[in-house]
Amino acid sequence: MDSLDEIVLTGLTVFGRHGVYAKEREEGQEFTVDLRLSLSLEQAAATDDVGDTVHYGELAEKVAAVVSGEPVNLIETLAERIAEVALADARVQNVSVTVHKPHAPIAVRFADVSVTVRRSRAFEALEDITV
């Protein structure tokens, strides 16, 4: 594999109950997720078979289940859980996950707040090495 290609999914908007404050957990709000997957798409292009790529519709459903599922305090934690879902597919080598929280309880006017995590399968392999 000489270089990696990308699958990008942006603007996935899902209702969730994440946040530090009780009101955020009770009322909930919409979160928006952007994903960028790095993987080889050479096999999928050659076979024209969805089984040879990451099915972005199925990925969107899995990510939506995480966002609408068990509440967490921090969007950093939410982004990490989403990255784990993406990396569960062995073809994905790297993932970038941005979680937007445009309705965060911030006392001053703002357009958006977001967190981005970048995770790599190569990095995961290094973590498994013990000295």
Side-chain angles (χ1 to χ4, degrees):
M1 179 175 6
D2 294 348
S3 63
L4 294 176
D5 306 304
E6 291 185 331
I7 294 176
V8 179
L9 174 63
T10 58
L12 179 66
T13 303
V14 182
F15 185 84
R17 298 183 180 276
H18 310 287
V20 174
Y21 303 110
K23 184 176 180 180
E24 293 179 285
R25 299 273 181 120
E26 292 165 10
E27 295 179 5
Q29 62 189 285
E30 287 189 331
F31 295 83
T32 301
V33 177
D34 302 326
L35 293 163
R36 182 174 298 272
L37 311 178
S38 298
L39 68 159
S40 174
L41 298 176
E42 189 173 357
Q43 181 69 23
T47 64
D48 197 30
D49 184 345
V50 72
D52 289 329
T53 189
V54 173
H55 188 302
Y56 45 80
E58 292 175 0
L59 177 62
E61 290 176 10
K62 291 174 184 176
V63 171
V66 171
V67 177
S68 65
E70 179 186 350
V72 296
N73 289 331
L74 304 177
I75 57 174
E76 291 87 336
T77 305
L78 185 59
E80 185 71 27
R81 289 182 179 181
I82 293 168
E84 290 170 2
V85 166
L87 287 171
D89 187 314
R91 294 171 290 207
V92 177
Q93 297 303 304
N94 305 297
V95 63
S96 174
V97 177
T98 300
V99 176
H100 301 265
K101 189 175 180 180
H103 305 291
I106 297 175
V108 296
R109 187 174 175 162
F110 72 101
D112 187 26
V113 63
S114 66
V115 168
T116 300
V117 300
R118 293 174 184 86
R119 299 296 178 259
S120 171
R121 183 164 307 288
F123 182 72
E124 285 182 342
L126 290 176
E127 287 181 342
D128 291 338
I129 297 172
T130 56
V131 179

